[in-house]
Amino acid sequence: MEADVFVGRETELADVSALLERVRHVTLTGPAGVGKTCLALRLARTLEPAFPGGVHIVELSEAPADLDSLTETLADAIGARRGPGTPTLRALVDEFLTRRTLLVLDTCDRVVGATGILVGLLLRSVEGLRVLTTSRQRLGLPGEHLYPVGGLPDADAVQLITALAGGRFGGTDPAELCKRLDNLPLAIRLAVAEGTPGGLGTLDVLAATLDGRPISTAGITAFDGHVTSPDELAASLEGRTVPAAEREIHAAGFGAAPPARAAAPRRHSSMRVALGWSHELCTPQERLLWARASVFAGTFDIEAAEEVCAGGALAAKDVLDGLLGLLDKSVLVREEGEGGVRYRLLNTVREFGVVWLDRLGETDEIQRRHRDHFLALSARAEMSWQGRQLEWYRRLVLECGNMRGAIEYCYSRPPEYRRGLDLVGNLWFLWACCGMQAPGDDLLQRGLDLDHTPSPERVKALWVHAWVSIQRGDLERAERILTECAAEDADGYATAYVSQFQAHLAVVKGDVVEALRLIKHARVRHRSTGNVFPGFLPTYTVVATAMMLADHHEQAVSVLREGRELCESCGDYWTLIRLDLLLAQAEHSLGNTVSALDSACGSLRGARLFGDSISLMEALEVFVVIAEACSDDTFAATMFGASRAAWRSADVPPSRSPVIATQLRAAELRLRGRMGRTEFERLEARGSSISLRDAVEHALQGELS
C-alpha cells in the first residue's frame, strides 16, 4: 500500500489556506479516521513558502496534559533556544517573534485544556504567529475558528481505494465498500491493508453490522491506551472504581492490539483503536449514550433519543447534554433540514457502539425500547395521516431505516411476529402512496409468511398487501390475497377493503358492471364506519374509471371534480394525485386540452411531493397522449421513451388504468406512422436516457406548445 497517497481535498486546502490569511487560529475537527492529520500535513507543505519563519509541526498524542510540561514539550520539539534562567514560555515567544511563523499542533484531543491555554498565551504574545490545530473537539479559545472535515466525496473515495488496492476488487463495487466505510480515508486504508476486498477484515465486521448479522467479539482489537470496560463504565456511573488488575483482565478479553504499521501513529493501527481514542475523551454518560444510540439506523431526533436511550444512570434530562457532548467530540453528526434537527452516528462509529452495547448486556433491552418507540410513532402517523400527509411523509421518510430495524427486531423473535405485522400494517401509506412499494411488498410478504395465525393485524396486512400488489401490477396475486383476507376476516373488519380492491381488479379487467357493484358495496360500508381515507375517497377513482370505460366522460369529469372537492376539504392530497390523473384523461377524451394539461401538471407536482414514482410514471404517459394530440411529436416520442425506461427501471409491469393504456397505444401507433420507424426509435432511445426526475422537470417546464 502506498502510504503517502493523498486524494482530493482541493476545497478543504483552498478554504483553510484562505482562512489562515484572515484569522490566526484554525482547528480542523472531525471524527476518527477522517484525515485531519493528513490534511494538516498537506496544508503545512503547501503553505511553507508563505511563512518565512518556518512551519513547525508538533504531534501531541502522547504529550503531557499539564501546562508546564506541555510548554517544555513544545519548546523541545521546535528547538527553542533557552538561556540560563529564561522561562520556557519566554523562550518559545522569542523563537516566534522574528518572522511570520505557522505552528501546526496535531492531535490535541487529550490535552485540549492545556493546549488551549498555551495557544492563547502564544497568540497574545506573538502577532505574526498563525496556529493550525487538529482535534476531535474544540480547544475553546475565543479566537478559534473551527473547520469541520468530513468524509471524502464519493468519487474521491473510490479514487483512493482504487489507488491503494490496485484494482483488486473482483466483482465488488468499490463505491459500496467506501460507502460502508463512511468514505473515511483511514478506514479505507486499513481495509485495503487487511487484504483484498472480500477478505477485508475491517469491512467484514462492518458489513455484518449493516446487514443485521451478529458480530463476533473474538476479533475485536484492544483500544489504544486506557480501556474502559463495561464494568468500569457502570462503576464510574455509580461513583465506584474498578481495580487496575480487573481492567487488565477485561482488556485482555478483547484480544491483543495489532502491531502499529510503519509510519502510522499507534492510534491509527485500526479503526477500533482510533475510535477507542474518541471513547476515552467521553464522559461515562456520553459513552453510555453512544452505546445506546447505536441502535438507531440512519438519523434520529431528540424525542427518540430520550425515549430509547434514557434510563438508569442516564436520566432523560441529561440526554441532550450527552448529545451535545458527543457532537463536540466529533462522535455524532448533526443534520438540519425540513424535519428539524437530527443526529447520526457514522457506520464505523455506530459499529463500535453496537459492540459496547452488547458488552454492557443491554442490546435486547435497547432494541425493545427502539421497537416500542417506532411502533408508537407508526400508530400516531396512521391516526393523523389524513390532514397531515406531507408532514408525516417528510418525517417518516427520515425514519425508514429505524422503522425497518424495528420490524427486523420483531421478525427475528417468534413472540414478536404480530407486533411486526402491526408495525408494517400501520405504514400502509408509505408502501401504497409514497413510492415504497418494493420494500413494503417484501416486508408484508415476510411477515405474513412468519405468522399464519388469524388476527386483526394479519387481516390488515393482507388487504394492504393486496393494494401494493395491484400497484405493482401483480393482479393475480392481489386476487389470491383478497380471497385469503376475506376467509380470515371473521369480524368483517376488512369487508369494505376487500370489495374496494376487488372492484379495482374488475375495472382493470374492463368489467364495468362488476366494478360498479363492488365499489357501491365498499362505499356504503366506508360511509357507515366514517372511513374517509384510505376508504371512501379513493373509491372515486374506480367509479370514474368505470364511467370512462363506458364512454361517459362528462359524468366522469363531474364525479372526479366532486371527489377533488372532498379531498381538498379533508386534506387528502395523495388521492388528489390519482383523481387529477384520471381528470386529465377524461378532459383529453372530451377535447379539452388546456384542462387536461392543467390536471396532468397538478398530478405531477403532487406525486413529486410524495415521492410517488408510480403516479409520476403514469402522469408522463398522460403527457405523451396530450403531446401527440397537439402534434408535438418530438416531445411525445421522447417522453414515451422516458416513461418506458422508468417502468423498466422500476422492474414492475405498468399498473396504469385501462383508459390511459388504450390512449397510449393509439398515440404510439400514430406517432410511428407520422414520424417513421427510424426517427421514432431514435427519439425513444434519447428519452430512455433521461431519468424519471429529469423527465418530470421537462414536462413541468411547459415544453408542450
Side-chain angles (χ1 to χ4, degrees):
M1 180 175 75
E2 296 290 339
D4 60 349
V5 172
F6 187 90
V7 170
R9 299 299 194 194
E10 290 84 1
T11 299
E12 291 88 340
L13 289 167
D15 286 350
V16 181
S17 296
L19 195 55
L20 283 168
E21 286 295 322
R22 304 194 311 271
V23 303
R24 301 183 61 203
H25 177 206
V26 176
T27 295
L28 304 179
T29 63
V34 80
K36 300 181 293 295
T37 294
C38 287
L39 179 58
L41 296 179
R42 181 56 61 105
L43 277 164
R45 185 186 307 174
T46 303
L47 295 173
E48 195 168 2
F51 290 92
V55 175
H56 298 281
I57 303 170
V58 184
E59 210 271 343
L60 299 180
S61 62
E62 302 296 334
D66 65 284
L67 180 60
D68 289 341
S69 299
L70 182 64
T71 306
E72 292 282 349
T73 298
L74 182 56
D76 292 340
I78 69 169
R81 290 159 293 187
R82 285 174 276 183
T86 303
T88 306
L89 181 60
R90 180 72 260 170
L92 270 175
V93 169
D94 291 343
E95 195 69 29
F96 294 136
L97 270 176
T98 53
R99 291 181 295 175
R100 193 167 184 257
T101 303
L102 174 64
L103 177 62
V104 180
L105 300 177
D106 184 34
T107 318
C108 303
D109 309 272
R110 285 179 171 169
V111 291
V112 287
T115 304
I117 295 171
L118 181 55
V119 168
L121 291 171
L122 291 173
L123 289 173
R124 285 196 296 272
S125 303
V126 185
E127 186 175 347
L129 180 65
R130 294 289 189 273
V131 179
L132 176 65
T133 51
T134 73
S135 176
R136 300 175 200 192
Q137 58 184 318
R138 67 184 70 222
L139 272 63
L141 296 177
E144 180 183 26
H145 288 256
L146 297 181
Y147 188 90
V149 181
L152 291 169
D154 292 343
D156 289 344
V158 171
Q159 183 183 348
L160 176 61
I161 198 170
T162 301
L164 294 172
R168 296 176 285 117
F169 292 104
T172 307
D173 181 6
E176 179 62 23
L177 297 183
C178 293
K179 180 180 178 181
R180 291 188 171 211
L181 295 167
D182 304 307
N183 287 358
L184 296 179
L186 177 61
I188 291 170
R189 289 174 183 274
L190 291 171
V192 172
E194 293 278 342
T196 57
L200 300 182
T202 304
L203 186 64
D204 287 343
V205 176
L206 178 59
T209 308
L210 295 174
D211 296 339
R213 291 184 277 116
I215 300 173
S216 169
T217 55
I220 298 175
T221 56
F223 306 142
D224 195 14
H226 172 62
V227 177
T228 304
S229 71
D231 289 340
E232 188 175 0
L233 175 58
S236 61
L237 289 169
E238 296 166 6
R240 298 183 286 108
T241 59
V242 173
E246 193 173 324
R247 290 203 304 265
E248 291 171 7
I249 291 171
H250 188 85
F254 277 81
R261 291 182 176 86
R266 187 163 173 248
R267 68 183 186 280
H268 290 166
S269 60
S270 77
M271 276 305 296
R272 289 194 183 281
V273 172
L275 289 165
W277 187 283
S278 294
H279 201 252
E280 282 191 33
L281 302 175
C282 298
T283 66
Q285 285 81 5
E286 290 166 355
R287 294 173 191 169
L288 185 58
L289 180 57
W290 180 350
R292 290 176 175 176
S294 68
V295 75
F296 294 110
T299 63
F300 57 93
D301 58 19
I302 182 64
E303 175 191 338
E306 288 177 343
E307 288 197 16
V308 176
C309 299
L314 183 63
K317 64 182 179 61
D318 296 325
V319 169
L320 180 57
D321 286 342
L323 292 174
L324 295 176
L326 292 175
L327 277 171
D328 188 53
K329 296 173 179 68
S330 302
V331 173
L332 270 182
V333 177
R334 182 182 187 272
E335 299 178 358
E336 190 166 357
E338 288 184 344
V341 175
R342 296 180 67 83
Y343 305 93
R344 178 169 60 88
L345 291 170
L346 297 179
N347 291 331
T348 45
V349 177
R350 179 176 177 239
E351 181 244 328
F352 185 95
V354 165
V355 175
W356 271 101
L357 189 64
D358 185 61
R359 285 292 195 172
L360 288 166
E362 292 192 352
T363 298
D364 194 68
E365 168 65 17
I366 298 301
Q367 286 181 340
R368 184 189 57 76
R369 285 194 217 166
H370 178 272
R371 188 277 316 280
D372 288 346
H373 173 76
F374 287 101
L375 178 58
L377 184 65
S378 72
R380 281 166 49 199
E382 182 187 32
M383 289 293 293
S384 54
W385 172 255
Q386 184 181 309
R388 296 173 58 191
Q389 292 178 346
L390 277 174
E391 177 187 340
W392 275 112
Y393 166 69
R394 288 167 178 161
R395 177 169 183 181
L396 291 187
V397 77
L398 300 173
E399 303 289 10
C400 284
N402 285 310
M403 289 293 180
R404 179 151 198 147
I407 294 166
E408 296 294 350
Y409 170 84
C410 295
Y411 284 0
S412 66
R413 294 161 173 79
E416 304 290 342
Y417 288 165
R418 186 171 295 184
R419 284 193 178 91
L421 270 180
D422 191 18
L423 206 166
V424 174
N426 287 346
L427 297 174
W428 55 262
F429 48 88
L430 289 183
W431 319 138
C433 307
C434 303
M436 300 183 193
Q437 286 83 6
D441 192 1
D442 172 68
L443 292 169
L444 286 160
Q445 185 65 65
R446 287 174 55 204
L448 290 166
D449 288 343
L450 286 169
D451 185 5
H452 292 275
T453 306
S455 66
E457 294 84 1
R458 180 175 165 81
V459 167
K460 181 178 181 179
L462 283 167
W463 67 254
V464 173
H465 198 204
W467 189 3
V468 172
S469 297
I470 291 171
Q471 292 196 322
R472 302 199 80 202
D474 196 340
L475 305 185
E476 290 184 4
R477 183 175 67 169
E479 199 159 7
R480 290 196 305 271
I481 294 171
L482 288 172
T483 300
E484 187 177 358
C485 183
E488 294 190 17
D489 185 22
D491 298 326
Y493 162 74
T495 299
Y497 289 115
V498 171
S499 295
Q500 178 178 337
F501 296 122
Q502 284 177 337
H504 196 133
L505 290 171
V507 84
V508 170
K509 295 174 183 177
D511 191 343
V512 173
V513 174
E514 180 66 3
L516 290 175
R517 183 188 71 81
L518 289 165
I519 206 65
K520 180 180 179 180
H521 175 260
R523 285 163 70 88
V524 169
R525 290 295 297 262
H526 285 319
R527 274 203 190 103
S528 68
T529 58
N531 183 358
V532 178
F533 185 79
F536 184 74
L537 290 176
T539 64
Y540 277 92
T541 63
V542 176
V543 175
T545 302
M547 288 181 173
M548 284 191 281
L549 287 173
D551 289 329
H552 300 313
H553 298 291
E554 290 183 353
Q555 287 178 270
V557 169
S558 177
V559 166
L560 289 166
R561 293 199 181 281
E562 176 188 304
R564 288 191 89 266
E565 290 179 9
L566 284 174
C567 286
E568 288 177 338
S569 66
C570 295
D572 178 8
Y573 298 107
W574 180 79
T575 302
L576 272 177
I577 298 167
R578 309 301 301 174
L579 296 181
D580 278 338
L581 265 175
L582 293 171
L583 190 56
Q585 296 164 41
E587 295 282 19
H588 170 71
S589 297
L590 292 170
N592 301 327
T593 302
V594 174
S595 296
L597 188 58
D598 183 60
S599 294
C601 286
S603 181
L604 270 183
R605 292 190 189 98
R608 187 173 57 175
L609 289 174
F610 283 97
D612 183 357
S613 55
I614 287 180
S615 292
L616 288 174
M617 291 186 287
E618 290 187 47
L620 283 183
E621 293 178 333
V622 174
F623 269 88
V624 172
V625 170
I626 298 173
E628 184 278 325
C630 294
S631 298
D632 194 344
D633 292 357
T634 298
F635 182 73
T638 304
M639 288 296 101
F640 181 84
S643 64
R644 278 282 179 88
W647 282 113
R648 286 195 300 269
S649 177
D651 197 28
V652 294
S655 59
R656 63 177 77 95
S657 79
V659 177
I660 188 60
T662 301
Q663 292 176 343
L664 187 65
R665 279 196 298 271
E668 179 188 358
L669 290 173
R670 287 192 292 268
L671 284 169
R672 288 180 181 274
R674 288 200 300 263
M675 303 177 73
R677 175 182 173 182
T678 302
E679 179 63 7
F680 178 83
E681 290 182 354
R682 183 186 71 82
L683 291 171
E684 182 186 7
R686 187 177 78 175
S688 68
S689 67
I690 301 173
S691 68
L692 177 60
R693 178 178 179 177
D694 288 343
V696 169
E697 288 301 319
H698 288 321
L700 289 175
Q701 285 169 7
E703 294 191 21
L704 290 174
S705 55

